[in-house]
Amino acid sequence: MRDFLPIVKTFKKKKTTPVLLAFQIAVTFMVLVNAIYMISERNDLIASPVGVDIKNTLTVFTNLSDEHGDLVNQLEDDLLALKNIHGVINAAPMTALPLEGWGSYIEFKLVPDEEYVAFGGYFGSNEDVIDALGLTLVAGENFSPSDIQTAERDGIYKPAKILITRALAEKISPDDWRDILGKNIYFYKQPHEVIGIIERLQNAWSSWSAVEYTVISSVRESNHSQRYIVRVEPDQMDYVIKAIPAALLTHAYKRIETIEPLSEVKKRSYQEDLATNQLLTSVCIGLTIITLFGILGQARFTINRRVKQIGTRRALGASKSQVVRYFMLKNAIISTVGVVIGILTAIILNNQFVELLAITPVPLNFLLFGAIAIVLLGQIAVAYPVSQAAKVSPAITTRGA
């Protein structure tokens, strides 16, 4: 372009303003790309499926009382009472809840005294667990009533039949995940026979790298603190929540700590991620506005200082479009330089994050889209002052200083 070399020459004479603006654009680009990618990753994490019928599943946290007799009988009575509520599809005991943030961590081994091949989360339940959670069985079979054992506590230490998630099966047996069926895996040196594989069930810790590696054991626990998972028919959630106290509070020693949809448990699990996303979004918006005002201010300052030069160019035959093109090209060059510096810095910074925080690197398409967006926003920011510059009359050159 004819204006390119003259613009570059003006940068040599007056370096400070364009250099500072390019640096501001570089910092903005670097921060925005990394922040937006972090927001995107967190949004994907929050939106990831738990593996259960989360819209129609609720949790009950209650107790079993020594003063009221045998704990196992009380457990059976509670389950029967929950299943008899109108609108309930099924109910099952659980030693912990998906995404609750509390539970049991275990290492899985193929041979008791060798190195573990994977690690993950543990739940103990009974034969109703698949139906009560709305899980999808993709291979093998579910527990039968005869498989179920009962422990007052620490059922994790009892050898038992288990269901595992497909993700865990693929981790243990990457060549063919179905090969794990019928085999034993060991934790706490006890053999556990894999009889079924479920499509997905996230365990207790949402931000854990092994959140998809989950085991359900056929050992239910009759504990003083008791969790139940209850699946209800569509649109029956409110009715069932109101009906549960009357069904369970049958004696003076009984109490209910919480009754809530499993969706609330998930929401609470991701509170920090949601708050971080809101903070990062605010930073991105604020930084973008500041940078756009910086570009706008620099353009207006330059144009105001060069009003007579613009008038002279107009008097010598320059059209309005040529004036617009000159200043738009000048801003585009500054923005491009800033973006190039920003890309290099963002790559270096992101590589440091990858090493220190074990996060995934920012994809190339984020950098490219970010570069295009920054340049376009810069052009939009200078559109108004440039349009005003094009309106400068050639007659201004005849006016006194």
Side-chain angles (χ1 to χ4, degrees), residues 109 112 149 157-162 183-194:
K109 300 179 179 181
Q149 305 177 59
Y157 296 106
K158 295 177 71 71
K161 293 183 178 180
I162 57 173
K183 297 180 180 178
N184 286 334
I185 61 175
Y186 293 80
F187 44 92
Y188 296 109
K189 296 187 177 182
Q190 299 297 326
H192 298 80
E193 183 186 356
V194 180

mmCIF file of all heavy atoms in Angstrom, residues 109 112 149 157-162 183-194:
data_model
loop_
_atom_site.group_PDB
_atom_site.id
_atom_site.type_symbol
_atom_site.label_atom_id
_atom_site.label_comp_id
_atom_site.label_asym_id
_atom_site.label_seq_id
_atom_site.Cartn_x
_atom_site.Cartn_y
_atom_site.Cartn_z
ATOM 1 N N LYS A 109 -5.461 -52.256 41.796
ATOM 2 C CA LYS A 109 -4.345 -53.102 41.383
ATOM 3 C C LYS A 109 -4.879 -54.368 40.734
ATOM 4 O O LYS A 109 -5.959 -54.855 41.065
ATOM 5 C CB LYS A 109 -3.487 -53.485 42.595
ATOM 6 C CG LYS A 109 -2.893 -52.278 43.332
ATOM 7 C CD LYS A 109 -2.064 -52.730 44.532
ATOM 8 C CE LYS A 109 -1.459 -51.530 45.261
ATOM 9 N NZ LYS A 109 -0.625 -51.954 46.405
ATOM 10 N N PRO A 112 -2.261 -57.967 44.051
ATOM 11 C CA PRO A 112 -2.286 -57.276 45.346
ATOM 12 C C PRO A 112 -1.011 -56.534 45.717
ATOM 13 O O PRO A 112 -1.074 -55.415 46.214
ATOM 14 C CB PRO A 112 -2.576 -58.409 46.340
ATOM 15 C CG PRO A 112 -3.263 -59.452 45.542
ATOM 16 C CD PRO A 112 -2.716 -59.363 44.157
ATOM 17 N N GLN A 149 -23.935 -57.409 50.403
ATOM 18 C CA GLN A 149 -23.472 -57.592 51.768
ATOM 19 C C GLN A 149 -23.781 -56.321 52.562
ATOM 20 O O GLN A 149 -23.989 -55.258 52.001
ATOM 21 C CB GLN A 149 -21.969 -57.851 51.807
ATOM 22 C CG GLN A 149 -21.508 -59.024 50.951
ATOM 23 C CD GLN A 149 -19.997 -59.170 50.985
ATOM 24 O OE1 GLN A 149 -19.389 -59.345 52.038
ATOM 25 N NE2 GLN A 149 -19.374 -59.071 49.812
ATOM 26 N N TYR A 157 -13.498 -52.328 52.793
ATOM 27 C CA TYR A 157 -12.474 -53.345 53.061
ATOM 28 C C TYR A 157 -12.980 -54.771 52.817
ATOM 29 O O TYR A 157 -12.210 -55.716 52.958
ATOM 30 C CB TYR A 157 -11.986 -53.227 54.504
ATOM 31 C CG TYR A 157 -11.296 -51.911 54.791
ATOM 32 C CD1 TYR A 157 -11.937 -50.926 55.543
ATOM 33 C CD2 TYR A 157 -10.019 -51.651 54.313
ATOM 34 C CE1 TYR A 157 -11.311 -49.716 55.803
ATOM 35 C CE2 TYR A 157 -9.392 -50.446 54.575
ATOM 36 C CZ TYR A 157 -10.048 -49.480 55.313
ATOM 37 O OH TYR A 157 -9.435 -48.277 55.569
ATOM 38 N N LYS A 158 -14.248 -54.949 52.462
ATOM 39 C CA LYS A 158 -14.797 -56.292 52.264
ATOM 40 C C LYS A 158 -14.684 -56.694 50.798
ATOM 41 O O LYS A 158 -15.013 -55.906 49.906
ATOM 42 C CB LYS A 158 -16.270 -56.332 52.685
ATOM 43 C CG LYS A 158 -16.485 -56.103 54.176
ATOM 44 C CD LYS A 158 -17.954 -56.076 54.509
ATOM 45 C CE LYS A 158 -18.593 -57.449 54.390
ATOM 46 N NZ LYS A 158 -18.147 -58.351 55.468
ATOM 47 N N PRO A 159 -14.199 -57.899 50.494
ATOM 48 C CA PRO A 159 -14.209 -58.384 49.109
ATOM 49 C C PRO A 159 -15.649 -58.507 48.625
ATOM 50 O O PRO A 159 -16.524 -58.971 49.363
ATOM 51 C CB PRO A 159 -13.521 -59.748 49.198
ATOM 52 C CG PRO A 159 -13.671 -60.169 50.627
ATOM 53 C CD PRO A 159 -13.687 -58.921 51.438
ATOM 54 N N ALA A 160 -15.909 -58.068 47.403
ATOM 55 C CA ALA A 160 -17.284 -58.025 46.920
ATOM 56 C C ALA A 160 -17.315 -57.934 45.407
ATOM 57 O O ALA A 160 -16.291 -57.693 44.756
ATOM 58 C CB ALA A 160 -18.011 -56.821 47.531
ATOM 59 N N LYS A 161 -18.490 -58.110 44.857
ATOM 60 C CA LYS A 161 -18.697 -57.863 43.439
ATOM 61 C C LYS A 161 -18.863 -56.358 43.233
ATOM 62 O O LYS A 161 -19.410 -55.665 44.080
ATOM 63 C CB LYS A 161 -19.922 -58.615 42.928
ATOM 64 C CG LYS A 161 -19.735 -60.129 42.950
ATOM 65 C CD LYS A 161 -20.936 -60.853 42.381
ATOM 66 C CE LYS A 161 -20.699 -62.357 42.375
ATOM 67 N NZ LYS A 161 -21.858 -63.109 41.816
ATOM 68 N N ILE A 162 -18.379 -55.888 42.064
ATOM 69 C CA ILE A 162 -18.393 -54.448 41.834
ATOM 70 C C ILE A 162 -18.840 -54.118 40.411
ATOM 71 O O ILE A 162 -18.737 -54.945 39.497
ATOM 72 C CB ILE A 162 -17.009 -53.806 42.083
ATOM 73 C CG1 ILE A 162 -15.940 -54.460 41.190
ATOM 74 C CG2 ILE A 162 -16.625 -53.878 43.548
ATOM 75 C CD1 ILE A 162 -14.582 -53.776 41.255
ATOM 76 N N LYS A 183 -13.050 -60.449 35.841
ATOM 77 C CA LYS A 183 -11.744 -60.472 36.491
ATOM 78 C C LYS A 183 -11.797 -59.736 37.824
ATOM 79 O O LYS A 183 -12.711 -58.946 38.086
ATOM 80 C CB LYS A 183 -10.689 -59.845 35.585
ATOM 81 C CG LYS A 183 -10.470 -60.603 34.282
ATOM 82 C CD LYS A 183 -9.403 -59.939 33.428
ATOM 83 C CE LYS A 183 -9.198 -60.703 32.127
ATOM 84 N NZ LYS A 183 -8.192 -60.058 31.244
ATOM 85 N N ASN A 184 -10.791 -59.996 38.639
ATOM 86 C CA ASN A 184 -10.691 -59.311 39.927
ATOM 87 C C ASN A 184 -9.769 -58.108 39.826
ATOM 88 O O ASN A 184 -8.728 -58.150 39.156
ATOM 89 C CB ASN A 184 -10.131 -60.254 40.995
ATOM 90 C CG ASN A 184 -11.154 -61.287 41.441
ATOM 91 O OD1 ASN A 184 -12.353 -61.066 41.361
ATOM 92 N ND2 ASN A 184 -10.665 -62.428 41.903
ATOM 93 N N ILE A 185 -10.156 -57.034 40.455
ATOM 94 C CA ILE A 185 -9.223 -55.958 40.726
ATOM 95 C C ILE A 185 -9.131 -55.829 42.243
ATOM 96 O O ILE A 185 -10.077 -56.167 42.967
ATOM 97 C CB ILE A 185 -9.639 -54.620 40.070
ATOM 98 C CG1 ILE A 185 -10.999 -54.139 40.577
ATOM 99 C CG2 ILE A 185 -9.642 -54.745 38.566
ATOM 100 C CD1 ILE A 185 -11.373 -52.776 40.029
ATOM 101 N N TYR A 186 -8.002 -55.348 42.721
ATOM 102 C CA TYR A 186 -7.734 -55.347 44.151
ATOM 103 C C TYR A 186 -7.622 -53.925 44.684
ATOM 104 O O TYR A 186 -7.024 -53.051 44.073
ATOM 105 C CB TYR A 186 -6.422 -56.098 44.451
ATOM 106 C CG TYR A 186 -6.488 -57.580 44.172
ATOM 107 C CD1 TYR A 186 -6.348 -58.063 42.873
ATOM 108 C CD2 TYR A 186 -6.676 -58.496 45.210
ATOM 109 C CE1 TYR A 186 -6.400 -59.425 42.612
ATOM 110 C CE2 TYR A 186 -6.734 -59.858 44.955
ATOM 111 C CZ TYR A 186 -6.598 -60.315 43.658
ATOM 112 O OH TYR A 186 -6.650 -61.661 43.400
ATOM 113 N N PHE A 187 -8.257 -53.697 45.819
ATOM 114 C CA PHE A 187 -7.947 -52.512 46.621
ATOM 115 C C PHE A 187 -8.024 -52.926 48.082
ATOM 116 O O PHE A 187 -8.832 -53.761 48.474
ATOM 117 C CB PHE A 187 -8.828 -51.302 46.299
ATOM 118 C CG PHE A 187 -10.300 -51.564 46.124
ATOM 119 C CD1 PHE A 187 -11.174 -51.458 47.196
ATOM 120 C CD2 PHE A 187 -10.819 -51.873 44.871
ATOM 121 C CE1 PHE A 187 -12.539 -51.650 47.019
ATOM 122 C CE2 PHE A 187 -12.178 -52.077 44.697
ATOM 123 C CZ PHE A 187 -13.045 -51.967 45.784
ATOM 124 N N TYR A 188 -7.124 -52.359 48.853
ATOM 125 C CA TYR A 188 -6.896 -52.769 50.243
ATOM 126 C C TYR A 188 -6.645 -54.275 50.339
ATOM 127 O O TYR A 188 -7.108 -54.946 51.266
ATOM 128 C CB TYR A 188 -8.059 -52.341 51.128
ATOM 129 C CG TYR A 188 -8.212 -50.843 51.204
ATOM 130 C CD1 TYR A 188 -9.284 -50.211 50.588
ATOM 131 C CD2 TYR A 188 -7.261 -50.056 51.846
ATOM 132 C CE1 TYR A 188 -9.420 -48.834 50.618
ATOM 133 C CE2 TYR A 188 -7.383 -48.676 51.883
ATOM 134 C CZ TYR A 188 -8.469 -48.075 51.259
ATOM 135 O OH TYR A 188 -8.591 -46.711 51.289
ATOM 136 N N LYS A 189 -5.948 -54.787 49.309
ATOM 137 C CA LYS A 189 -5.515 -56.192 49.218
ATOM 138 C C LYS A 189 -6.668 -57.179 49.145
ATOM 139 O O LYS A 189 -6.459 -58.388 49.314
ATOM 140 C CB LYS A 189 -4.586 -56.544 50.400
ATOM 141 C CG LYS A 189 -3.290 -55.751 50.400
ATOM 142 C CD LYS A 189 -2.334 -56.240 51.469
ATOM 143 C CE LYS A 189 -1.005 -55.493 51.404
ATOM 144 N NZ LYS A 189 -0.034 -55.964 52.395
ATOM 145 N N GLN A 190 -7.875 -56.705 48.895
ATOM 146 C CA GLN A 190 -9.031 -57.582 48.791
ATOM 147 C C GLN A 190 -9.474 -57.701 47.342
ATOM 148 O O GLN A 190 -9.467 -56.708 46.603
ATOM 149 C CB GLN A 190 -10.187 -57.050 49.644
ATOM 150 C CG GLN A 190 -9.893 -56.943 51.129
ATOM 151 C CD GLN A 190 -9.602 -58.300 51.746
ATOM 152 O OE1 GLN A 190 -10.165 -59.331 51.338
ATOM 153 N NE2 GLN A 190 -8.704 -58.324 52.733
ATOM 154 N N PRO A 191 -9.853 -58.927 46.909
ATOM 155 C CA PRO A 191 -10.301 -59.100 45.525
ATOM 156 C C PRO A 191 -11.740 -58.613 45.345
ATOM 157 O O PRO A 191 -12.601 -58.824 46.203
ATOM 158 C CB PRO A 191 -10.207 -60.613 45.320
ATOM 159 C CG PRO A 191 -10.432 -61.190 46.693
ATOM 160 C CD PRO A 191 -9.828 -60.210 47.654
ATOM 161 N N HIS A 192 -11.976 -57.943 44.206
ATOM 162 C CA HIS A 192 -13.318 -57.472 43.880
ATOM 163 C C HIS A 192 -13.604 -57.847 42.434
ATOM 164 O O HIS A 192 -12.910 -57.380 41.520
ATOM 165 C CB HIS A 192 -13.422 -55.964 44.080
ATOM 166 C CG HIS A 192 -13.187 -55.540 45.487
ATOM 167 N ND1 HIS A 192 -11.920 -55.404 46.025
ATOM 168 C CD2 HIS A 192 -14.052 -55.223 46.482
ATOM 169 C CE1 HIS A 192 -12.017 -55.010 47.286
ATOM 170 N NE2 HIS A 192 -13.307 -54.893 47.581
ATOM 171 N N GLU A 193 -14.619 -58.657 42.230
ATOM 172 C CA GLU A 193 -14.935 -59.153 40.895
ATOM 173 C C GLU A 193 -15.771 -58.135 40.126
ATOM 174 O O GLU A 193 -16.835 -57.708 40.585
ATOM 175 C CB GLU A 193 -15.698 -60.472 40.979
ATOM 176 C CG GLU A 193 -15.998 -61.067 39.604
ATOM 177 C CD GLU A 193 -16.886 -62.293 39.669
ATOM 178 O OE1 GLU A 193 -17.215 -62.740 40.803
ATOM 179 O OE2 GLU A 193 -17.272 -62.802 38.598
ATOM 180 N N VAL A 194 -15.288 -57.776 38.935
ATOM 181 C CA VAL A 194 -16.016 -56.840 38.079
ATOM 182 C C VAL A 194 -17.099 -57.615 37.333
ATOM 183 O O VAL A 194 -16.798 -58.452 36.485
ATOM 184 C CB VAL A 194 -15.070 -56.153 37.071
ATOM 185 C CG1 VAL A 194 -15.865 -55.187 36.181
ATOM 186 C CG2 VAL A 194 -13.942 -55.432 37.782
#
